[in-house]
C-alpha cells in the first residue's frame, strides 16, 4: 500500500526518531515520504500545522493510499477535528494506519468501521484529558507552594554539580538514549518537561567537552 508516514512531537527538544523506526519496519506499506513535525497537537488546530497540511497536499497530489501515525494523538488532541480529518480522508479513499492500535481505518473492505471509530474517539478524548490534567497538576502544585510561602525552584544562590544532577536522573538518560519522546519519558519517570530538557542539555554539554 502506497503510504506516507506522519510523526509529531509537542516540543523542539523531543525526537520523532522512534516513531519513524517503529513503522518503517512494517510490511505491506510502501512508505514514499516521511513528514515530521514539532508542534503542539493540543493548542494548535489542524489547519495551522504546516507540516501536516503539507502531508495532506502530498497525499492528494501523489495518489497516496494510506497515512501512517504512531497513535491517534499524533493527528491531534481535539476529538472533533480528528474525526473530521478521518471523514475527509475517507472521501478521498485514503486509509489511516494507527500503530499503537495495530489497525487501519477507512479501508474499503472494513467490516468494523463503527467499532474502530469508537476506539479512535475514546483515544483522542483520553489524550486531550491527559494534557489538560497534566497542565492542571503543574499549575496547582505551583499555587500550593506559593500559598505556603515556599519557592517553586532551587534555592537562590545554590548550585548543583552536573555529575550530581545527572546521577539523580539516570532513568531519564536511559530513555533518551533509547530514543523515547519527552512525553513518554514524562509518563515513565514522573518528571517535568523542563527536567528532561535540562538532562538532555547537560548530556550534550558533557559530550561536547570531551570531543
Amino acid at each position: 500500500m502506497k503510504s506516507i508516514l506522519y510523526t509529531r512531537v509537542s516540543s523542539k527538544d523531543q525526537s520523532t526518531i522512534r516513531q519513524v523506526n517503529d513503522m518503517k519496519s512494517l510490511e505491506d506499506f510502501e512508505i514514499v515520504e516521511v513528514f515530521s513535525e514539532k508542534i503542539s497537537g493540543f493548542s494548535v488546530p489542524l489547519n495551522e500545522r504546516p507540516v501536516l497540511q503539507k502531508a495532506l497536499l502530498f497525499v492528494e497530489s501523489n495518489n497516496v493510499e494510506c497515512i501512517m501515525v504512531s497513535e491517534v494523538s499524533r493527528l491531534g488532541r481535539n476529538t472533533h477535528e480528528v474525526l473530521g480529518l478521518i471523514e475527509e480522508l475517507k472521501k478521498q479513499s485514503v486509509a489511516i494506519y494507527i500503530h499503537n492500535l495495530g489497525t487501519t481505518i477507512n479501508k474499503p473492505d472494513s467490516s468494523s468501521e463503527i467499532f474502530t471509530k469508537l476506539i479512535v474517539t475514546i483515544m483522542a478524548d483520553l489524550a486531550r484529558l491527559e494534557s489538560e490534567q497534566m497542565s492542571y497538576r503543574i499549575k496547582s502544585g505551583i499555587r500550593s507552594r506559593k500559598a505556603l510561602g515556599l519557592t517553586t525552584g532551587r534555592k537562590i544562590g545554590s548550585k548543583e554539580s552536573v555529575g550530581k544532577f545527572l546521577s539523580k536522573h539516570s532513568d531519564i538518560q536511559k530513555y533518551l538514549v533509547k530514543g523515547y519522546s519527552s512525553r513518554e519519558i514524562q509518563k515513565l519517570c514522573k518528571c517535568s518537561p523542563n527536567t528532561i530538557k535540562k538532562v538532555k542539555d547537560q548530556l550534550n554539554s558533557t559530550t561536547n567537552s570531551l570531543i
Side-chain angles (χ1 to χ4, degrees), residues 59-157:
V59 166
E60 189 175 357
S61 58
N62 290 274
N63 298 316
V64 172
E65 300 170 274
C66 181
I67 296 176
M68 303 171 69
V69 293
S70 63
E71 55 186 85
V72 176
S73 64
R74 298 308 87 198
L75 291 174
R77 295 177 186 272
N78 181 307
T79 310
H80 178 73
E81 284 190 340
V82 171
L83 291 176
L85 176 60
I86 291 172
E87 284 301 317
E88 190 60 36
L89 290 171
K90 184 176 182 179
K91 293 175 184 177
Q92 300 174 35
S93 299
V94 177
I96 302 174
Y97 171 76
I98 305 168
H99 186 54
N100 71 329
L101 297 181
T103 189
T104 305
I105 60 177
N106 285 356
K107 291 191 299 184
D109 60 343
S110 177
S111 59
S112 58
E113 195 75 10
I114 294 177
F115 178 69
T116 301
K117 286 186 178 177
L118 175 61
I119 295 175
V120 169
T121 301
I122 293 171
M123 296 295 287
D125 273 338
L126 287 175
R128 175 182 57 80
L129 288 171
E130 181 186 11
S131 288
E132 290 176 350
Q133 288 172 354
M134 183 176 291
S135 176
Y136 172 78
R137 286 196 298 267
I138 292 171
K139 291 175 181 177
S140 178
I142 292 173
R143 285 196 299 269
S144 296
R145 289 186 63 82
K146 285 182 176 179
L148 293 170
L150 301 173
T151 60
T152 56
R154 180 174 296 281
K155 185 179 178 181
I156 296 174

Side-chain angles (χ1 to χ4, degrees), residues 5 22 42 51 60 74 84 87 90 150 152-153 165 170 173-175 181 188 210:
L5 210 168
D22 283 353
F42 179 64
V51 177
E60 189 175 357
R74 298 308 87 198
E87 284 301 317
K90 184 176 182 179
L150 301 173
T152 56
F165 173 75
S170 58
Q173 295 178 62
K174 177 181 70 176
Y175 290 121
S181 70
L188 291 166
L210 294 174

